[in-house]
Amino acid sequence: MHNRQIGPLSVSAIGLGCMNLNHAYGVPPSEADAIALLNRALDLGCTFLDTAALYGMGHNERLLNKAVMHRRSEFTLASKCVLDMYDGQRGLNGSPTAIRKTLDDALIRLGTDVIDLYYLHRLDKAVPIEDSVGELKRAVEAGKIRTIGLSEMSAATIRRAHDVHPVAAVQTEYSPCVRNPEIAVLDACRDLGIGFVAFSPVARGLLADAVHDDHYAKGDIRAGMPRFVEPQLGHNLKAVAQFNALAAEAGCTPAQLALAWVLSRGRDIVAIPGTRSIAHLEDNMAAGDMVIGADILARIDSLFEGDAIRGTRYPPALQAQIDTETFPGECD
């Protein structure tokens, strides 16, 4: 797989989002299966692993330590702070003190002295972004992290953060049916020389032919996401069916088509799909060097115009934590 540049970091065009190995999608796989998948990803040329303090309440970082830290030289390691567990409860804290503790704990859980890319997972609107980034700047100076990232933040916030310390990467949901970064974030990143990391590039399974109804397993976050439940889901699946037909026409899986579309949007973009299946992992990694014709790419764009996808990305409480720009009427 070819590499792409994210700030000073060179990483595989398709990385691996590790969240669902411990978090958010029902019962996780066994530890042995998760370890096998992580090592298979490295074997396939994936050199970018993305985790966070929040995922599995620290267990995801511990999993990476056990599974692949003996292969540390083979991959770029990304993790996140601000969203974490505070006094036994999930919370948002962008204060320097909280960031420092989360980072120090993460280094212990990961079994490493340095994290290559460390994100502010969300914007804590109670703390000036300058204060939060200032703490990460001090962590860079202390040698605890190599580069700074931002997740789900607006163009205005990105520019303020970048004034404090160069930002290497911005991570936001981006797929053929989630286009919010195109409002302003991608332009800001390109103006400032910041790489873009697309999470949920197959739309949480919607564009991987993995969602057919809203009967989710207990603990699956999609059960609380408006676009993944009725009546919105039935409407959305009509566009998804057309997308699946385009994938068949292109001779690839729907997930591969979604990933190829994301990578086609610019050489400064990498994708980090997550999966629990080694077969799906292998399909995803194969999309890294896939070339899709301009006609099909244009038809994808047309397919998801207007209200082809209805419902917000998050329920109201979580949407309130998102700083990324929204389209007119998106959150009504």
Side-chain angles (χ1 to χ4, degrees):
M1 191 191 309
H2 72 278
N3 279 11
R4 292 187 170 188
Q5 203 72 22
I6 298 297
L9 305 170
S10 179
V11 300
S12 54
I14 295 180
L16 179 66
C18 300
M19 179 179 77
N20 61 3
L21 297 177
N22 291 96
H23 189 83
Y25 289 95
V27 178
S30 70
E31 184 179 86
D33 286 346
I35 289 173
L37 185 140
L38 287 162
N39 280 278
R40 181 61 177 149
L42 298 185
D43 293 343
L44 291 168
C46 172
T47 65
F48 192 26
L49 301 182
D50 180 276
T51 182
L54 181 70
Y55 301 163
M57 292 65 183
H59 290 298
N60 201 253
E61 290 176 326
R62 293 188 189 94
L63 172 66
L64 264 65
N65 184 356
K66 186 171 184 177
V68 293
M69 292 306 282
H70 64 288
R71 302 176 66 174
R72 182 69 178 88
S73 63
E74 298 179 40
F75 63 92
T76 293
L77 174 64
S79 193
K80 310 178 193 73
C81 60
V82 178
L83 272 181
D84 200 357
M85 300 299 292
Y86 303 99
D87 298 323
Q89 299 293 321
R90 170 182 165 139
L92 189 71
N93 192 334
S95 70
T97 299
I99 288 172
R100 193 178 313 122
K101 183 178 188 310
T102 297
L103 172 57
D104 287 344
D105 289 347
L107 291 169
I108 292 169
R109 289 190 293 258
L110 286 161
T112 186
D113 294 328
V114 62
I115 296 171
D116 300 309
L117 174 59
Y118 203 55
Y119 293 93
L120 300 177
H121 205 159
R122 291 290 186 272
L123 175 65
D124 181 352
K125 297 174 185 179
V127 178
I129 187 65
E130 291 81 1
D131 291 356
S132 299
V133 176
E135 181 58 32
L136 293 189
K137 178 181 179 180
R138 287 186 285 274
V140 171
E141 293 166 349
K144 295 179 179 181
I145 65 176
R146 291 197 170 97
T147 62
I148 292 172
L150 307 173
S151 178
E152 291 277 38
M153 297 196 191
S154 67
T157 301
I158 292 165
R159 292 182 187 279
R160 287 173 57 192
H162 196 73
D163 283 343
V164 177
H165 187 279
V167 174
V170 169
Q171 178 179 133
T172 293
E173 184 175 359
Y174 191 40
S175 73
C177 66
V178 175
R179 308 290 280 274
N180 299 77
E182 295 176 2
I183 300 172
V185 164
L186 282 172
D187 285 344
C189 287
R190 286 164 179 161
D191 285 347
L192 300 171
I194 299 171
F196 184 85
V197 178
F199 77 74
S200 296
V202 299
R204 303 183 189 276
L206 195 63
L207 300 184
D209 197 25
V211 178
H212 306 106
D213 55 51
D214 61 2
H215 302 150
Y216 301 106
K218 183 179 178 180
D220 192 315
I221 57 171
R222 292 173 293 188
M225 293 179 164
R227 66 181 47 182
F228 284 92
V229 296
E230 296 298 348
Q232 292 82 216
L233 180 60
H235 169 84
N236 297 342
L237 287 175
K238 296 174 184 176
V240 170
Q242 296 178 61
F243 180 80
N244 292 346
L246 280 179
E249 183 178 335
C252 62
T253 67
Q256 288 174 330
L257 184 60
L259 291 167
W261 180 92
V262 168
L263 296 184
S264 79
R265 307 304 283 185
R267 294 282 302 183
D268 52 350
I269 297 174
V270 301
I272 52 167
T275 184
R276 298 172 173 183
S277 161
I278 287 181
H280 292 165
L281 172 73
E282 292 171 346
D283 280 349
N284 291 347
M285 293 299 126
D289 290 312
M290 208 170 267
V291 177
I292 303 296
D295 173 64
I296 287 182
L297 293 174
R299 287 158 67 189
I300 293 171
D301 289 343
S302 298
L303 179 58
F304 291 110
E305 289 179 347
D307 73 339
I309 300 295
R310 295 177 182 168
T312 55
R313 292 198 290 135
Y314 294 98
L318 295 184
Q319 187 66 41
Q321 297 179 348
I322 304 302
D323 188 47
T324 310
E325 294 83 356
T326 57
F327 290 99
E330 180 181 342
C331 296
D332 293 347

